[in-house]
Amino acid sequence: MIGDQESIDSVLNRLRRAHGQLAGVIAMIEQGRDCKDVITQLAAVSRALDRAGFKIVATGLRECLAGAADGSEAPMTEAELEKLFLALA
């Protein structure tokens, strides 16, 4: 689980938007559109995916810290946190 329903909905909306943008990029390439236009849209897809990933990490971090504070989960190590953030870099 990556968070409360609001966080999940936010991530899903971002991913759906990226999905639509990626379909648009594919169509642009198939149509032989200008490279500049394709790259601009591809960059938008990349940003949408990055934002979804950062939202997942931020929400997970918040839950992990809350779980560690109440004793329901073991706290994440610094190495685990670093690995999560670097996975999105």
Side-chain angles (χ1 to χ4, degrees):
M1 183 106 165
I2 61 163
D4 57 38
Q5 193 59 46
E6 184 179 334
S7 295
I8 292 169
D9 290 343
S10 174
V11 168
L12 288 173
N13 285 338
R14 289 175 193 269
L15 292 174
R16 285 185 184 109
R17 188 175 313 121
H19 184 262
Q21 289 172 319
L22 184 56
V25 169
I26 292 168
M28 291 172 75
I29 292 170
E30 291 173 341
Q31 297 165 0
R33 296 276 300 271
D34 183 60
C35 179
K36 180 181 173 187
D37 295 336
V38 172
I39 296 299
T40 299
Q41 288 304 311
L42 196 55
V45 172
S46 180
R47 283 191 305 272
L49 291 174
D50 286 345
R51 288 180 179 164
F54 289 133
K55 179 75 170 180
I56 291 169
V57 169
T59 302
L61 178 59
R62 186 174 49 237
E63 284 186 359
C64 181
L65 291 174
D70 69 13
S72 65
E73 292 182 29
M76 289 181 77
T77 66
E78 185 176 328
E80 289 171 321
L81 290 171
E82 182 178 346
K83 185 176 178 179
L84 283 176
F85 283 107
L86 288 176
L88 293 171

